[in-house]
Amino acid sequence: MKKTSLNDIAERLGVSRTLVSLVLNGKGRDHRISEEVCRKVFAAAKEMNYQPNQIAKGLRTGKTNTIGLIIADIANPFFGKLGREIENEASKYGYRIIFCSSDEKSEKSGQQIDMLMQGQVDGLIISPPAESEQQIKSLENSRKPYVLIDRYFPEIDSDYVGIDNFRAAYEATLLLVRKGYRRIACITINKTLINMQQRLEGYRQALIDSGKEPDERFIKILPFSHENDDLVYAIKQLICSNEVNADAIFFTTSKIGIPGIECLHALGVKIPDEVAVVSFDDPDAYRISNPSVTAIAQPLREMGSLSVKILIDRMNGKRNGSSEKVILNTELRVRKSG
C-alpha cells in the first residue's frame, strides 16, 4: 500500500504542499493559516493515515522525538522490566524508544551507539558494558545528551541513575548473619563492572563488621558470558567441599540467581534447611518459587522515570551545569529462602 505523502493531503484539500507541511509541523498560526484550514488538514491527515518520516523531519528540524536505549541484556528480566518503564515514561513526553541490547559486549555497544547517532536520536540512555569507557568519553565530546543507568564509570562525569549497591548487598549479607548462618558464600559476575564491585564490597564489609574475616574460598566470580556448567561447578565447590561447606549463598544478580537455584534443586539441596539463598533483583520467578526467594528489589519505575526526565531536561537545555548522580534505595524482601 502506498504511503500517504504531504502531496496527497494537499491534492485532497486543493491547497499547497507547503501549507500542509506548516500546519502539521505546528506552524499554522505563525503563518496566519486559519483555524478552519488547520482543522481540515489535521482531519485529512488522520483519515488518510499520514505517518511523518521521522528521519527526514529530523534532518529538517534537528529533532526526531526518539531516544536510543542500550541495555546490557534484553533476556535478563531486570533489564526487560527497566526497559518497559523507560518506554512508558518516554511516551508521556511524546518520545519513542529504539531498543538495543549490548549483551555486555563493548564492541557491540560501540556499534549500537554509532547506529543510533546516525539515526538522529535526540539522546541516549545507556547501561554501559565493561571496557566501554572510551565510547562514553566520545559521546561526551559529541555533546549528544545521554544518561547512564544501572552502572557508570567513576572517572567520567556523567548523568547517572542507579542504586546504592554497597548498602543493598551489605544489608542482605547482614540478614543472613543475624539469622545464624556462619559460612556465607557469594557468587557474582564480571568484577570489572562498578555495580558488581560495590555489591561484592558490601558482602565483604558485612562479614567484617560481624566479626568474620572474608574467605576467598567462599567467593566465586564468573565471567558475564559464563556457561551453565561454570555455575554448577562453582556451586558444587561451595556446598560439596568439606573445606567450604557453605550454609548460605548470596547471588549478586538474578542472571545467576535463577539458574543457581535451579542447580541447587537439581542437586537435591533443600532450601533453606541445608543452604539459605538471597539474591539481587526480584523477578516474578522468585515470588512463585518453592520456597519463595528473599530478594533485593530495585526501584525500576523510579529508575526509568528519573533517567528519562534527566535526559529530556538535558535535551531541552534545562540542565547545563554539572552532572546529576541519583542514588536510589532498594527494598530487601524477606521470604522463605533465607
Side-chain angles (χ1 to χ4, degrees):
M1 181 180 293
K2 180 177 178 288
K3 186 176 180 180
T4 301
S5 68
L6 294 176
N7 286 331
D8 295 330
I9 299 172
E11 188 175 331
R12 162 82 69 90
L13 297 175
V15 296
S16 70
R17 181 187 184 281
T18 301
L19 182 144
V20 173
S21 177
L22 289 171
V23 171
L24 293 181
N25 283 294
K27 298 179 180 179
R29 285 187 177 180
D30 296 343
H31 291 77
R32 299 183 179 179
I33 300 172
S34 71
E35 292 291 335
E36 182 181 356
V37 171
C38 288
R39 283 196 298 270
K40 287 181 178 180
V41 171
F42 283 119
K46 183 177 181 181
E47 181 183 340
M48 299 172 72
N49 194 29
Y50 170 71
Q51 300 292 327
N53 186 321
Q54 292 294 341
I55 294 178
K57 181 180 178 182
L59 292 173
R60 292 194 307 271
T61 66
K63 186 175 182 181
T64 61
N65 280 78
T66 58
I67 293 171
L69 172 61
I70 302 177
I71 55 179
D73 181 11
I74 193 65
N76 186 326
F78 166 76
F79 285 111
K81 289 185 176 181
L82 180 58
R84 183 189 304 164
E85 295 296 343
I86 290 172
E87 183 178 37
N88 290 342
E89 186 66 25
S91 68
K92 297 177 183 177
Y93 294 89
Y95 284 84
R96 61 193 177 109
I97 297 292
I98 299 177
F99 284 87
C100 297
S101 178
S102 71
D103 298 324
E104 292 288 8
K105 297 175 181 177
S106 60
E107 181 180 358
K108 189 173 181 180
S109 73
Q111 294 169 349
Q112 291 168 341
I113 290 174
D114 290 343
M115 179 269 292
L116 292 169
M117 294 281 279
Q118 291 170 13
Q120 299 292 315
V121 295
D122 297 334
L124 299 100
I125 298 175
I126 305 173
S127 178
E131 300 178 358
S132 64
E133 293 96 324
Q134 192 56 51
Q135 297 167 17
I136 303 303
K137 289 179 180 177
S138 297
L139 196 57
E140 183 77 24
N141 293 336
S142 75
R143 297 204 169 279
K144 176 69 72 173
Y146 73 94
V147 175
L148 301 185
I149 193 166
D150 183 53
R151 73 279 293 263
Y152 64 96
F153 297 112
E155 66 274 19
I156 303 176
D157 188 26
S158 304
D159 287 325
Y160 163 70
V161 177
I163 61 164
D164 190 336
N165 288 285
F166 176 92
R167 184 170 184 80
Y170 182 95
E171 291 177 349
T173 307
L174 207 58
L175 171 72
L176 292 169
V177 172
R178 289 171 176 168
K179 286 195 170 187
Y181 297 101
R182 297 179 176 276
R183 300 180 304 280
I184 303 169
C186 176
I187 302 182
T188 187
I189 60 173
N190 207 335
K191 63 180 180 180
T192 59
L193 290 172
I194 185 67
N195 55 343
M196 293 301 160
Q197 291 176 17
Q198 293 167 340
R199 293 174 192 184
L200 184 55
E201 290 169 5
Y203 158 82
R204 292 180 190 273
Q205 194 60 49
L207 294 180
I208 292 172
D209 291 350
S210 301
K212 303 176 185 293
E213 188 65 29
D215 188 332
E216 295 303 312
R217 295 175 301 172
F218 285 79
I219 299 172
K220 301 297 179 183
I221 302 174
L222 306 178
F224 178 85
S225 57
H226 65 274
E227 299 293 334
N228 195 54
D229 288 347
D230 297 331
L231 180 57
V232 172
Y233 181 67
I235 289 176
K236 285 183 176 179
Q237 283 186 310
L238 292 172
I239 66 173
C240 299
S241 167
N242 291 330
E243 289 185 6
V244 180
N245 195 24
D247 60 4
I249 299 177
F250 169 47
F251 294 102
T252 62
T253 167
S254 60
K255 176 179 173 60
I256 50 176
I258 292 175
I261 291 168
E262 290 177 343
C263 174
L264 290 171
H265 286 316
L267 292 172
V269 177
K270 295 180 180 179
I271 303 173
D273 298 341
E274 296 176 320
V275 175
V277 169
V278 174
S279 176
F280 238 93
D281 310 324
D282 191 23
D284 295 338
Y286 284 173
R287 289 186 291 104
I288 62 177
S289 176
N290 187 21
S292 56
V293 180
T294 295
I296 299 166
Q298 301 193 51
L300 298 180
R301 180 171 297 176
E302 196 172 359
M303 290 172 70
S305 174
L306 286 171
S307 64
V308 171
K309 288 177 180 176
I310 292 172
L311 180 62
I312 289 177
D313 280 351
R314 284 287 182 199
M315 293 189 301
N316 292 335
K318 294 181 180 179
R319 294 175 184 266
N320 296 317
S322 59
S323 63
E324 180 168 355
K325 290 178 172 55
V326 179
I327 308 298
L328 303 171
N329 292 322
T330 57
E331 179 187 352
L332 181 57
R333 295 174 178 171
V334 181
R335 300 192 179 105
K336 295 181 180 180
S337 70

